[in-house]
Amino acid sequence: MKALVYNGPGQKDWVEKEKPGIDKPTDVIVRITKTTICGTDLHILKGDVPAVTPGRTLGHEGVGVVEEVGPAVRNFKPGDPVLISCVTSCGACPNCKRQLYAHCSDGGWILGHLIDGTQAEYVRIPHGDNSLYPIPDGADEEALVMLSDIMPTGLEIGVQYGKVKPGDTIAIIGAGPVGMSVLLTAQFYSPGKIVMIDMDPARLELAKQFGATDTLQVGEVDVVEEIMKMTDDLGVDVAIEAVGVPATFDICQKIVSAGGAIANVGVHGKPVELHIEELWIKNINISMGLVNTNTTPMLLKTLNSGKVNPGRLVTHRFKLEEILDAYEVFGNAAREKAMKVILNA
Ligand code: NAD
Ligand code: ZN
């Protein structure tokens, strides 16, 4: 089969690779029909994630069709259309019982990280029963792919950890696919104001179409000053960081109101300055973490009810074998006005 393989910092190749087979009785082999490129793949390619070793197939978002199941798999059979969770988990260990799937003692593997991923014709999914979701015939597969990672990330780590409540004023920093997923899922909780903050005016424009009530462009305005003007000097109830750099975490610390929350979603490669001396006196909650994809069943229901359409995040489509061209576009997202890039097998 063909797969997109990481070959060390700055090196990727579309190569012929052995098709995966059943290794453990709980494995499921899925034939990929749609996958994506994610910002995390770009981090890996830069060499920012040393745990990923050369030879690894990248990708952790996708839908497909079950090709083969191990003898212990109960919920799936060949031919079933499935949504793939970016985290694989046994569902039975103490952490899985608390829905901390990313911390499964027999997995918690992110596809395309410590195990081979979805940017290939086939992928092996360990613990298939707990790591795949059946999808109804005729479902919008582009919308579904957004449920592999970004939508649960936005909901779990941004909105739920931040405890967004009806009427709240919230700020989301970073209008990439993850920040946009925060924006879409925050609306389940009817916040009063959603201020989207980014440096890219095109992304801010899109954020308005997706429900942001206000936008602020870093570099054009003093974001902290503007937020204080908007909130009668109180600050925002919830500040959600969806970039992963010290500057944006710092903005969160400055704009959060007394009794408010900072929900950090971004993956930080560098330490941030934590101003406990200022946050303590303001009674601030700070949260962060890795997505567990434990909200996927809930998100599937919201898709079915038509409450949200994350398929709108898709801006570009390629054939799977055109993946190197797709990386070129996604790697220059601002220039290409790209948000989510879909690869069709
Ligand atoms: P992205 O790079 O597509 O988007 C980031 C956005 O931030 C861009 O629109 C960019 O213009 C903006 N930005 C960059 N620097 C900025 C600055 N100084 N001020 C304001 N805006 C700035 O990334 P993404 O795919 O949307 O992911 C966002 C973050 O979420 C990344 O750090 C990613 O690794 C992380 N992530 C976390 C989890 C998790 O489990 N917690 C899961 C997936 C992704
Ligand atoms: Zn487990």
Side-chain angles (χ1 to χ4, degrees):
M1 68 160 190
K2 286 284 197 173
L4 191 284
V5 166
Y6 169 70
N7 274 329
Q11 301 281 329
K12 60 180 178 317
D13 294 294
W14 177 241
V15 296
E16 190 63 34
K17 215 176 165 177
E18 197 183 332
K19 182 182 165 189
I22 300 291
D23 233 14
K24 294 199 172 154
T26 49
D27 286 349
V28 171
I29 307 300
V30 177
R31 175 172 58 80
I32 293 291
T33 53
K34 284 191 191 320
T35 183
T36 64
I37 305 173
C38 172
T40 308
D41 300 321
L42 302 183
H43 278 302
I44 293 171
L45 276 167
K46 265 199 240 153
D48 286 352
V49 191
V52 180
T53 49
R56 176 68 62 231
T57 301
L58 297 183
H60 52 270
E61 299 176 308
V63 294
V65 177
V66 172
E67 173 87 357
E68 197 183 344
V69 299
V73 172
R74 296 284 164 264
N75 301 344
F76 299 99
K77 59 178 191 318
D80 287 348
V82 286
L83 165 66
I84 301 168
S85 163
C86 65
V87 176
T88 73
S89 58
C90 76
C93 73
N95 282 341
C96 279
K97 283 188 177 145
R98 294 191 293 153
Q99 296 206 322
L100 290 167
Y101 298 141
H103 302 274
C104 172
S105 59
D106 188 29
W109 292 302
I110 299 175
L111 294 166
H113 184 229
L114 300 184
I115 58 174
D116 280 339
T118 55
Q119 290 170 6
E121 289 174 294
Y122 297 89
V123 61
R124 177 194 297 118
I125 306 294
H127 300 300
D129 275 342
N130 203 54
S131 312
L132 295 169
Y133 295 90
I135 54 180
D137 281 344
D140 175 352
E141 292 201 343
E142 289 192 349
L144 280 166
V145 182
M146 306 303 135
L147 270 52
S148 287
D149 174 2
I150 60 171
M151 287 289 280
T153 296
L155 177 56
E156 293 166 25
I157 312 301
V159 179
Q160 293 187 337
Y161 278 12
K163 298 193 173 71
V164 173
K165 296 183 297 304
D168 274 357
T169 294
I170 73 169
I172 303 164
I173 311 185
V178 170
M180 293 292 192
S181 298
V182 175
L183 171 62
L184 292 174
T185 56
Q187 291 170 64
F188 298 151
Y189 298 82
S190 303
K193 255 192 182 132
I194 309 177
V195 188
M196 201 78 183
I197 301 167
D198 201 291
M199 52 223 273
D200 180 342
R203 286 191 158 186
L204 290 175
E205 200 40 54
L206 204 57
K208 276 191 198 151
Q209 293 169 29
F210 290 166
T213 55
D214 300 86
T215 58
L216 293 173
Q217 192 183 339
V218 169
E220 288 295 310
V221 296
D222 183 325
V223 167
V224 177
E225 222 175 270
E226 292 300 317
I227 289 277
M228 289 306 161
K229 269 193 229 159
M230 272 180 202
T231 57
D232 294 330
D233 275 333
L234 290 172
V236 299
D237 298 298
V238 188
I240 300 171
E241 202 282 354
V243 184
V245 298
T248 46
F249 188 78
D250 200 52
I251 293 177
C252 292
Q253 299 184 83
K254 291 186 173 128
I255 63 174
V256 66
S257 70
I262 299 174
N264 182 91
V265 185
V267 177
H268 289 261
K270 290 196 187 114
V272 299
E273 241 177 71
L274 184 61
H275 287 285
I276 290 189
E277 77 287 2
E278 285 165 23
L279 298 172
W280 171 83
I281 198 79
K282 282 167 70 181
N283 295 52
I284 302 303
N285 270 304
I286 304 181
S287 57
M288 66 201 77
L290 192 55
V291 65
N292 285 298
T293 66
N294 56 32
T295 57
T296 305
M298 189 204 293
L299 284 166
L300 278 166
K301 286 189 212 162
T302 66
L303 271 196
N304 295 341
S305 71
K307 282 251 187 276
V308 66
N309 180 11
R312 290 166 74 202
L313 294 173
V314 177
T315 53
H316 292 72
R317 294 163 185 87
F318 290 88
K319 290 186 185 145
L320 182 58
E321 63 263 30
E322 296 167 341
I323 190 162
L324 293 174
D325 298 331
Y327 263 98
E328 228 5 74
V329 167
F330 191 70
N332 294 291
R335 188 189 73 200
E336 301 286 342
K337 298 204 183 326
M339 184 59 69
K340 259 334 239 191
V341 170
I342 288 270
L343 298 150
N344 289 302

